[in-house]
Amino acid sequence: MKERIKIVEGDITEQEVDAIVNAANTSLLGGGGVDGAIHRAAGPELLEETRKIGGCPTGETRVSKGYRLPARWVIHTVGPVWAGGHKNEENLLANCYKNSLRAAVEHGVKTIAFPSISTGVYRFPLERATEIALTETKKFIETNENPDKVVFVCFGEKALNTYREVFERIY
Ligand code: AR6
Protein backbone atom coordinates (compact mmCIF):
# COMPACT_ATOMS: atom_id res chain seq x y z
CA MET A 1 0.00 0.00 0.00
CA LYS A 2 2.85 2.34 0.97
CA GLU A 3 4.19 2.60 -2.57
CA ARG A 4 0.89 4.02 -3.83
CA ILE A 5 1.33 7.17 -1.70
CA LYS A 6 3.72 10.00 -2.47
CA ILE A 7 4.38 13.01 -0.26
CA VAL A 8 5.98 15.98 -2.01
CA GLU A 9 6.60 19.65 -1.33
CA GLY A 10 5.41 21.93 -4.08
CA ASP A 11 2.63 23.63 -5.99
CA ILE A 12 -0.37 21.47 -6.82
CA THR A 13 -1.01 23.32 -10.09
CA GLU A 14 2.23 21.90 -11.51
CA GLN A 15 1.50 18.25 -10.76
CA GLU A 16 1.46 15.90 -13.74
CA VAL A 17 -1.49 13.78 -12.62
CA ASP A 18 -4.90 12.88 -14.02
CA ALA A 19 -6.75 14.95 -11.41
CA ILE A 20 -5.97 17.55 -8.78
CA VAL A 21 -8.24 18.29 -5.85
CA ASN A 22 -9.21 21.88 -5.08
CA ALA A 23 -9.94 23.10 -1.54
CA ALA A 24 -12.82 25.28 -2.68
CA ASN A 25 -15.69 27.07 -0.93
CA THR A 26 -19.41 26.36 -1.27
CA SER A 27 -19.85 28.95 -4.05
CA LEU A 28 -17.22 27.31 -6.32
CA LEU A 29 -16.50 30.81 -7.61
CA GLY A 30 -12.82 30.86 -6.65
CA GLY A 31 -11.01 32.45 -3.73
CA GLY A 32 -7.53 32.70 -2.24
CA GLY A 33 -5.02 30.01 -1.30
CA VAL A 34 -4.89 26.88 -3.39
CA ASP A 35 -8.27 27.69 -4.97
CA GLY A 36 -6.94 31.00 -6.32
CA ALA A 37 -3.77 29.33 -7.60
CA ILE A 38 -5.78 26.63 -9.42
CA HIS A 39 -8.10 29.16 -11.08
CA ARG A 40 -5.15 31.30 -12.19
CA ALA A 41 -3.31 28.33 -13.66
CA ALA A 42 -6.36 26.75 -15.31
CA GLY A 43 -7.55 30.00 -16.93
CA PRO A 44 -10.96 31.72 -17.07
CA GLU A 45 -12.75 28.74 -18.61
CA LEU A 46 -12.60 27.04 -15.22
CA LEU A 47 -14.70 29.77 -13.60
CA GLU A 48 -17.17 29.62 -16.49
CA GLU A 49 -17.67 25.93 -15.82
CA THR A 50 -17.84 26.14 -12.02
CA ARG A 51 -20.34 29.00 -12.28
CA LYS A 52 -22.62 26.66 -14.25
CA ILE A 53 -22.17 23.90 -11.65
CA GLY A 54 -23.71 26.29 -9.14
CA GLY A 55 -22.04 25.46 -5.82
CA CYS A 56 -21.15 22.51 -3.62
CA PRO A 57 -22.07 21.65 -0.01
CA THR A 58 -19.34 21.10 2.59
CA GLY A 59 -17.88 17.58 2.41
CA GLU A 60 -19.11 16.95 -1.13
CA THR A 61 -17.36 17.20 -4.51
CA ARG A 62 -17.99 18.50 -8.02
CA VAL A 63 -15.78 17.72 -11.02
CA SER A 64 -14.68 20.09 -13.78
CA LYS A 65 -12.14 19.96 -16.56
CA GLY A 66 -8.58 21.16 -15.91
CA TYR A 67 -8.26 23.46 -18.95
CA ARG A 68 -4.66 24.84 -19.01
CA LEU A 69 -3.52 22.68 -16.09
CA PRO A 70 -1.45 19.56 -16.73
CA ALA A 71 -4.24 17.69 -14.91
CA ARG A 72 -7.24 16.65 -17.02
CA TRP A 73 -9.72 17.05 -14.14
CA VAL A 74 -10.21 19.27 -11.12
CA ILE A 75 -12.14 17.67 -8.28
CA HIS A 76 -13.53 20.54 -6.24
CA THR A 77 -14.30 19.75 -2.62
CA VAL A 78 -15.33 21.99 0.23
CA GLY A 79 -13.64 21.43 3.56
CA PRO A 80 -15.17 22.44 6.88
CA VAL A 81 -14.28 25.70 8.59
CA TRP A 82 -12.65 24.73 11.92
CA ALA A 83 -14.89 25.90 14.76
CA GLY A 84 -13.24 24.14 17.70
CA GLY A 85 -14.01 20.53 16.78
CA HIS A 86 -17.63 20.14 17.92
CA LYS A 87 -19.33 21.00 14.66
CA ASN A 88 -18.73 17.67 12.91
CA GLU A 89 -15.57 19.07 11.34
CA GLU A 90 -13.67 15.76 11.45
CA ASN A 91 -16.39 13.78 9.65
CA LEU A 92 -16.85 16.52 7.10
CA LEU A 93 -13.12 16.56 6.34
CA ALA A 94 -13.10 12.74 6.05
CA ASN A 95 -16.01 13.05 3.59
CA CYS A 96 -13.93 15.40 1.41
CA TYR A 97 -11.28 12.70 0.99
CA LYS A 98 -13.73 9.82 0.54
CA ASN A 99 -15.90 11.67 -1.95
CA SER A 100 -12.90 12.98 -3.91
CA LEU A 101 -11.50 9.46 -4.23
CA ARG A 102 -14.91 8.14 -5.33
CA ALA A 103 -15.21 10.91 -7.93
CA ALA A 104 -11.72 10.01 -9.14
CA VAL A 105 -12.78 6.39 -9.70
CA GLU A 106 -15.90 7.53 -11.57
CA HIS A 107 -13.71 9.58 -13.92
CA GLY A 108 -11.15 6.84 -14.56
CA VAL A 109 -8.44 8.69 -12.65
CA LYS A 110 -5.29 6.69 -11.98
CA THR A 111 -3.19 9.47 -10.44
CA ILE A 112 -4.52 12.18 -8.14
CA ALA A 113 -2.98 15.01 -6.11
CA PHE A 114 -4.45 16.46 -2.91
CA PRO A 115 -3.66 19.70 -1.10
CA SER A 116 -4.04 19.85 2.67
CA ILE A 117 -7.77 20.63 2.67
CA SER A 118 -9.06 23.09 5.31
CA THR A 119 -5.66 23.77 6.91
CA GLY A 120 -5.22 27.27 5.48
CA VAL A 121 -7.92 29.93 5.72
CA TYR A 122 -10.29 27.37 7.29
CA ARG A 123 -7.84 26.81 10.21
CA PHE A 124 -8.27 23.04 10.71
CA PRO A 125 -5.33 21.89 12.93
CA LEU A 126 -2.65 20.52 10.59
CA GLU A 127 -1.72 17.33 12.42
CA ARG A 128 -5.30 16.15 12.92
CA ALA A 129 -6.16 17.05 9.32
CA THR A 130 -3.16 15.06 8.10
CA GLU A 131 -4.23 12.01 10.14
CA ILE A 132 -7.68 12.19 8.56
CA ALA A 133 -6.26 12.63 5.03
CA LEU A 134 -3.89 9.67 5.34
CA THR A 135 -6.30 7.37 7.19
CA GLU A 136 -9.18 7.89 4.76
CA THR A 137 -6.88 7.43 1.78
CA LYS A 138 -5.42 4.24 3.25
CA LYS A 139 -8.88 2.78 3.82
CA PHE A 140 -9.90 3.66 0.29
CA ILE A 141 -6.89 2.31 -1.58
CA GLU A 142 -6.97 -0.91 0.43
CA THR A 143 -10.32 -1.72 -1.14
CA ASN A 144 -9.97 -0.01 -4.55
CA GLU A 145 -7.50 -0.50 -7.40
CA ASN A 146 -7.80 3.11 -8.44
CA PRO A 147 -6.49 5.68 -8.01
CA ASP A 148 -3.25 3.77 -8.31
CA LYS A 149 -1.15 6.74 -7.10
CA VAL A 150 -2.11 9.41 -4.57
CA VAL A 151 0.16 12.43 -4.20
CA PHE A 152 -0.08 14.72 -1.16
CA VAL A 153 1.26 18.11 -2.14
CA CYS A 154 2.63 19.99 0.86
CA PHE A 155 2.92 23.74 0.59
CA GLY A 156 5.97 24.43 2.74
CA GLU A 157 8.25 22.52 5.05
CA LYS A 158 5.94 22.43 8.07
CA ALA A 159 3.25 20.57 6.15
CA LEU A 160 5.87 18.30 4.55
CA ASN A 161 7.30 17.28 7.94
CA THR A 162 3.85 16.72 9.40
CA TYR A 163 2.77 14.50 6.49
CA ARG A 164 6.01 12.49 6.70
CA GLU A 165 5.63 11.94 10.46
CA VAL A 166 1.97 10.93 10.29
CA PHE A 167 2.67 8.68 7.29
CA GLU A 168 5.31 6.73 9.24
CA ARG A 169 2.83 6.26 12.07
CA ILE A 170 -0.17 5.20 9.99
CA TYR A 171 1.22 3.15 7.08
N1 AR6 B 1 -0.38 24.14 -3.92
C1 AR6 B 1 -0.57 23.31 -2.87
N2 AR6 B 1 -1.03 23.73 -1.67
C2 AR6 B 1 -1.30 25.03 -1.54
C3 AR6 B 1 -1.14 25.98 -2.58
C4 AR6 B 1 -0.66 25.48 -3.82
N3 AR6 B 1 -0.47 26.28 -4.87
N4 AR6 B 1 -1.52 27.21 -2.12
C5 AR6 B 1 -1.89 27.04 -0.82
N5 AR6 B 1 -1.76 25.74 -0.47
P1 AR6 B 1 -6.39 27.12 1.69
P2 AR6 B 1 -8.77 26.00 3.04
C6 AR6 B 1 -2.04 25.09 0.82
O1 AR6 B 1 -6.45 28.35 2.52
O2 AR6 B 1 -8.13 26.12 4.37
C7 AR6 B 1 -9.98 29.68 -0.36
O3 AR6 B 1 -10.10 31.06 -0.41
C8 AR6 B 1 -2.08 25.92 2.07
O4 AR6 B 1 -0.79 26.15 2.57
O5 AR6 B 1 -6.10 27.24 0.26
O6 AR6 B 1 -9.48 24.71 2.69
C9 AR6 B 1 -11.24 28.97 -0.80
O7 AR6 B 1 -11.93 29.66 -1.80
C10 AR6 B 1 -2.89 25.04 3.01
O8 AR6 B 1 -2.06 24.05 3.60
O9 AR6 B 1 -7.78 26.27 1.80
C11 AR6 B 1 -12.02 28.88 0.47
O10 AR6 B 1 -12.75 30.06 0.71
C12 AR6 B 1 -3.84 24.31 2.06
O11 AR6 B 1 -3.36 24.55 0.74
C13 AR6 B 1 -10.95 28.72 1.54
O12 AR6 B 1 -9.78 29.30 1.00
C14 AR6 B 1 -5.28 24.77 2.17
O13 AR6 B 1 -5.32 26.16 2.39
C15 AR6 B 1 -10.67 27.27 1.85
O14 AR6 B 1 -9.81 27.18 2.92
Side-chain angles (χ1 to χ4, degrees):
M1 222 47 59
K2 249 186 156 160
E3 66 288 346
R4 287 170 67 188
I5 304 287
K6 215 170 131 190
I7 294 167
V8 301
E9 188 178 356
D11 180 343
I12 201 165
T13 65
E14 294 171 2
Q15 301 299 311
E16 305 267 349
V17 288
D18 299 331
I20 63 171
V21 176
N22 182 18
N25 58 61
T26 55
S27 77
L28 297 188
L29 296 178
V34 71
D35 194 6
I38 289 172
H39 275 271
R40 274 193 303 279
E45 296 91 346
L46 178 59
L47 182 58
E48 271 173 47
E49 184 175 352
T50 56
R51 190 173 277 138
K52 284 184 198 136
I53 295 171
C56 177
T58 303
E60 293 190 20
T61 59
R62 299 291 183 269
V63 180
S64 75
K65 290 188 234 161
Y67 299 97
R68 295 175 207 173
L69 291 163
R72 178 165 180 210
W73 305 108
V74 179
I75 299 173
H76 304 266
T77 190
V78 182
V81 177
W82 181 257
H86 300 288
K87 292 249 160 78
N88 204 30
E89 295 99 317
E90 298 202 339
N91 281 323
L92 289 167
L93 186 62
N95 289 345
C96 289
Y97 286 94
K98 277 188 254 191
N99 288 326
S100 296
L101 290 163
R102 281 186 198 136
V105 170
E106 283 163 16
H107 286 77
V109 166
K110 295 200 181 324
T111 55
I112 185 171
F114 279 98
S116 180
I117 301 162
S118 280
T119 66
V121 177
Y122 285 179
R123 301 183 317 272
F124 203 109
L126 178 62
E127 185 163 352
R128 188 67 195 114
T130 306
E131 286 167 357
I132 292 168
L134 294 178
T135 307
E136 290 307 323
T137 302
K138 183 168 189 261
K139 279 195 251 171
F140 193 90
I141 63 174
E142 273 168 359
T143 50
N144 290 273
E145 266 178 45
N146 278 317
D148 178 46
K149 285 262 176 328
V150 182
V151 184
F152 291 97
V153 183
C154 302
F155 203 62
E157 209 177 327
K158 188 176 167 218
L160 181 68
N161 291 335
T162 304
Y163 269 78
R164 283 181 172 160
E165 274 167 36
V166 174
F167 180 78
E168 288 310 318
R169 216 182 325 127
I170 286 178
Y171 279 79

